[in-house]
Every structure is written in C-alpha cells, then in structure tokens.
Amino acid sequence: MITLQRRQLVGHDILLARHGNHISTMRVDRGAGRVVALLDDGSTDSAPNLIAPGLRMPDTVRSVLREDWKLLATVSACCVGLAGLMFAAAAALAGMSHNPALAQMLTAYTGS
C-alpha cells in the first residue's frame, strides 16, 4: 500500500547543526540532492539531502505524478474517449430507432 508522506530534508538539519544562527538563507538543489546555505560572512556550505544515497524515500503525491503522468494521462484519455463513444452510440441508437419509446428512453435517461 502506498503511503504518501512529506519527505524529510536532512540537509537543513545538518547545516543548522554546523552553523546555527549564522545562516542567512538556505535553498534546495534538487538536481544535486543537496541543501545549500549562504552564511552571514558570505561563504556557502552544502550538505547532502539524503541519509544514504541508495535509500528509497517514501512516495509523495508529487513524486507519483512525476513518475506516472504518462500512464495517468493515457487512462484519462481512454475514459474520456469511451464516454464519448458511449454517448455517440446512444445518440445514434435514438436516431436510428423507429420506436419512439426507445428514443425517449435513450434521450431522457437521468442516470438515477
């Protein structure tokens, strides 16, 4: 079962332990997997954002969408296409039918 949790950024904790109140700003460098801090004296320091590089982090909503967006888009497009096809088939059946009761049933269906 997928549990979606916020990922813990350990780089912030490492930099706070090293420098305390001497940090001006911090930013996350997602490409490098590090947190970079600008210190009061103008220098910079960085720390890794993972405890272990091979550690599998818990999934988040953003990571699931980033990894599976093609599958989700394909399934959504198929559902919309199928719904359109069913609507077109019902309209065609109502138009081709010479039975007024069937035409009324297909066009006046409320779904409840």
Side-chain angles (χ1 to χ4, degrees):
M1 180 175 185
I2 296 176
T3 58
L4 300 177
Q5 302 175 12
R6 185 180 186 283
R7 293 186 179 174
Q8 298 299 317
L9 303 178
V10 296
H12 286 92
D13 295 337
I14 293 169
L15 290 171
L16 283 171
R18 284 184 195 163
H19 303 289
N21 291 334
H22 301 289
I23 298 174
S24 296
T25 60
M26 280 197 276
R27 67 176 176 83
V28 178
D29 183 2
R30 296 195 191 282
R34 302 184 71 78
V35 176
V36 180
L38 177 65
L39 304 176
D40 291 339
D41 62 358
S43 62
T44 60
D45 189 14
S46 66
N49 217 9
L50 294 175
I51 297 170
L55 181 66
R56 173 82 171 119
M57 297 296 287
D59 290 325
T60 63
V61 173
R62 184 176 294 164
S63 69
V64 169
L65 290 176
R66 184 174 44 242
E67 293 171 2
D68 298 334
W69 72 270
K70 289 181 183 178
L71 174 68
L72 294 172
T74 303
V75 169
S76 298
C78 288
C79 289
V80 168
L82 183 61
L85 186 64
M86 290 175 64
F87 179 76
L93 273 175
M96 290 188 317
S97 172
H98 297 292
N99 185 356
L102 179 62
Q104 183 180 6
M105 180 186 72
L106 289 173
T107 56
Y109 180 69
T110 61
S112 59

